[in-house]
Amino acid sequence: MKEQPTVLVADDEPQMVGVIAYALQTAGFQVIMAYDGLQALQQVEEHHPDIVILDVTMPGVDGFEVCRRVRNETTIPVLLLTVKDEPEDVIKGLELGADDYMTKPFSTRELVLRVQAILRRTRIRQVKVIESGPLRIDFERHRVTLHDLPVELTPLEYRLLTCLAANTGRVLTWQALLKEAWQLDVWQGSKEMIKVQIHRLRQKLEPNPAQPRFIHTVRGVGYRFDL
Amino acid sequence: MKEQPTVLVADDEPQMVGVIAYALQTAGFQVIMAYDGLQALQQVEEHHPDIVILDVTMPGVDGFEVCRRVRNETTIPVLLLTVKDEPEDVIKGLELGADDYMTKPFSTRELVLRVQAILRRTRIRQVKVIESGPLRIDFERHRVTLHDLPVELTPLEYRLLTCLAANTGRVLTWQALLKEAWQLDVWQGSKEMIKVQIHRLRQKLEPNPAQPRFIHTVRGVGYRFDL
DNA sequence: CAGACCGGTCACAGTTTGGTTACAAATAGA
DNA sequence: TCTATTTGTAACCAAACTGTGACCGGTCTG
């Protein structure tokens, strides 16, 4: 994990981008900028920012579309910037999986605090160890134990588990899992690959694989790891 | 040991300081700067850097004096920067206890590698002995024994073992091992080199090389030393 | 209620990885 | 310069891993 969190700011108003970038950089973030939706997607692809701040009303590929694709294809959290008094925008954004939203005009101070809060919530991936009852995942030692006994996982099983565990509480779509655990581009791979690996993981980890305690299925969406 | 090692760079030429600082910062170090010997001593006092890089020809309190006092008053390693073709400077510096020296002009890349090497040596120095059942690794004496009988290791075998042992419990990827034990850049070397050396190490150390007790394979990732 | 969809399960074949070995090249020391 | 030792390389093999396709039961929808 990078020392200095990276924020992608995408807005078609350059002065708005500039204001936000300055505030975030002053607050210790590394800032990447994009001025339309397409560029935002390219920057996500290229830089893998820690968080994406999107204005919803960008020309061409709009903020909602970017949000949808980022949520589908990555695990990067998204903060949406909406125009004042557009509650449908808010609902739509949250349905698309945005982590938070802010309504223009807003104070940059509050924006920084919101970004920090989102990153704190998603910063679980920095944690060295995750424990959930008898299950213990030690990222540094690359060790998984159940009741203090080592569980032998294959490389892919381990990656899948750590990917899920690093996003505890969040649903990861099958596209996101393919990208993160399989390191595939989204147009490769299939749900079947994930199904089987999830099955294998559950066989190794779950007290009762038929009634999973750690790895939960979200039908029609993907899977979620819960503590 | 701090997460990001701190380097103090002391040189009366600001552009040289800048060049070195940029290289080190890019390589992941936190850089503190000083432009004369007195300032260097103050920065040492204030920040307790992990390593000090000193130009010998600074005005006032020169690099040798700083080196002498740092060596006398702290355990911080020192790397001296000397002018080309001044072997007396080198000898004097080493007599004062400098850990290494480099002669201007030099590549900043090499400087980074030298700094990394010094830090590695001084980090390992903190652990004197590692014992795991019949195996004993004495870093100070540069001795490895099994059941109190010396094991003859080649230089590379020794480096590989100490590298693993210094990171007991953690998985070291083959890239990390190439970098640390072979001191290669990651785009050189191959897994095959490591495989064979691991095999050779196991032949010498493991009671049953086919079922290793000390050096464990983490398939798809690398190797781990366990107590 | 029937059909479509979804997720779980299973077995097998193809692929990948790590261990082993022998030999050549490189290195170190006399 | 020569010899012994160390290291890297390439080939081979067994074990492990992964994906695929088929099948099944549960859920959802028209």
Side-chain angles (χ1 to χ4, degrees), chain A residues 33-216:
Chain A
M33 293 167 274
Y35 299 97
D36 63 49
L38 196 58
Q39 196 179 27
L41 289 169
Q42 286 165 346
Q43 294 283 51
V44 166
E45 190 69 39
E46 188 175 340
H47 290 104
H48 307 292
D50 297 297
I51 181 169
V52 179
I53 300 177
L54 292 175
D55 180 48
V56 296
T57 55
M58 286 188 289
V61 184
D62 68 10
F64 292 122
E65 178 63 15
V66 175
C67 179
R68 189 186 68 77
R69 282 161 70 168
V70 169
R71 298 305 293 136
N72 263 347
E73 299 166 15
T74 76
T75 58
I76 298 169
V78 175
L79 184 151
L80 288 180
L81 305 179
T82 65
V83 179
K84 182 179 170 173
D85 291 331
E86 293 281 0
E88 316 94 70
D89 279 354
V90 173
I91 291 168
K92 187 177 178 186
L94 295 179
E95 281 176 343
L96 284 172
D99 293 86
D100 202 358
Y101 74 95
M102 293 190 72
T103 308
K104 295 175 179 177
F106 52 75
S107 97
T108 53
R109 174 158 182 70
E110 185 184 349
L111 178 76
V112 171
L113 291 174
R114 290 279 183 96
V115 169
Q116 286 168 341
I118 293 172
L119 286 177
R120 267 197 306 274
R121 291 202 303 261
T122 60
R123 269 287 171 86
I124 287 177
R125 79 186 60 178
Q126 272 197 335
V127 173
K128 301 257 175 82
V129 176
I130 287 185
E131 296 197 21
S132 174
L135 178 64
R136 188 174 196 269
I137 305 164
D138 188 329
F139 290 85
E140 262 196 339
R141 291 177 155 75
H142 202 100
R143 266 214 164 126
V144 177
T145 55
L146 256 183
H147 298 292
D148 291 315
L149 296 176
V151 181
E152 297 300 323
L153 299 180
T154 68
L156 183 55
E157 286 165 2
Y158 179 79
R159 289 204 301 275
L160 181 54
L161 176 63
T162 52
C163 180
L164 287 164
N167 290 278
T168 296
R170 303 172 74 191
V171 184
L172 299 185
T173 62
W174 65 270
Q175 294 101 318
L177 288 170
L178 284 172
K179 188 153 187 143
E180 299 286 335
W182 272 262
Q183 293 166 357
L184 296 177
D185 294 316
V186 291
W187 54 83
Q188 289 174 271
S190 68
K191 286 193 257 190
E192 275 64 47
M193 295 161 61
I194 307 182
K195 281 197 311 189
V196 172
Q197 294 299 335
I198 290 282
H199 173 72
R200 286 173 179 157
L201 252 187
R202 282 172 171 158
Q203 291 296 116
K204 291 188 177 181
L205 294 184
E206 300 281 355
N208 181 6
Q211 303 221 326
R213 169 177 175 179
F214 309 117
I215 300 173
H216 297 274

Side-chain angles (χ1 to χ4, degrees), chain B residues 12-82:
Chain B
D12 59 318
E13 295 174 61
Q15 55 266 58
M16 178 58 70
V17 173
V19 168
I20 296 173
Y22 173 75
L24 289 164
Q25 193 153 318
T26 302
F29 294 92
Q30 186 175 347
V31 181
I32 295 158
M33 291 167 277
Y35 299 96
D36 62 50
L38 197 58
Q39 198 178 28
L41 288 169
Q42 287 164 347
Q43 295 283 51
V44 167
E45 189 69 37
E46 189 175 341
H47 290 104
H48 305 290
D50 297 296
I51 181 170
V52 180
I53 299 176
L54 293 174
D55 180 49
V56 297
T57 55
M58 287 188 289
V61 184
D62 70 7
F64 292 121
E65 178 62 15
V66 175
C67 179
R68 189 185 69 76
R69 282 162 69 167
V70 169
R71 300 303 294 138
N72 267 346
E73 298 166 16
T74 76
T75 58
I76 298 168
V78 176
L79 184 151
L80 288 180
L81 305 179
T82 65

Side-chain angles (χ1 to χ4, degrees), chain B residues 92-190:
Chain B
K92 187 178 179 185
L94 295 177
E95 282 177 343
L96 284 174
D99 294 87
D100 202 358
Y101 74 94
M102 294 191 71
T103 307
K104 296 176 180 177
F106 52 76
S107 97
T108 53
R109 175 158 184 71
E110 185 182 350
L111 177 76
V112 170
L113 291 173
R114 291 278 183 98
V115 168
Q116 287 169 339
I118 293 171
L119 286 177
R120 273 197 303 276
R121 289 203 303 263
T122 57
R123 188 186 310 142
I124 291 177
R125 200 179 287 161
Q126 289 173 4
V127 179
K128 300 253 176 85
V129 176
I130 286 184
E131 297 197 20
S132 174
L135 177 65
R136 189 173 195 270
I137 304 164
D138 189 326
F139 291 86
E140 273 195 330
R141 294 182 157 77
H142 204 101
R143 280 177 69 123
V144 178
T145 56
L146 256 184
H147 298 292
D148 292 315
L149 298 176
V151 181
E152 297 301 323
L153 299 180
T154 67
L156 183 56
E157 286 166 0
Y158 179 77
R159 289 204 302 274
L160 181 55
L161 177 63
T162 51
C163 180
L164 287 164
N167 291 279
T168 295
R170 303 170 74 174
V171 183
L172 298 185
T173 62
W174 65 271
Q175 295 100 319
L177 289 171
L178 284 172
K179 191 161 183 138
E180 300 285 334
W182 273 262
Q183 292 169 355
L184 296 177
D185 298 313
V186 291
W187 55 83
Q188 288 176 269
S190 68

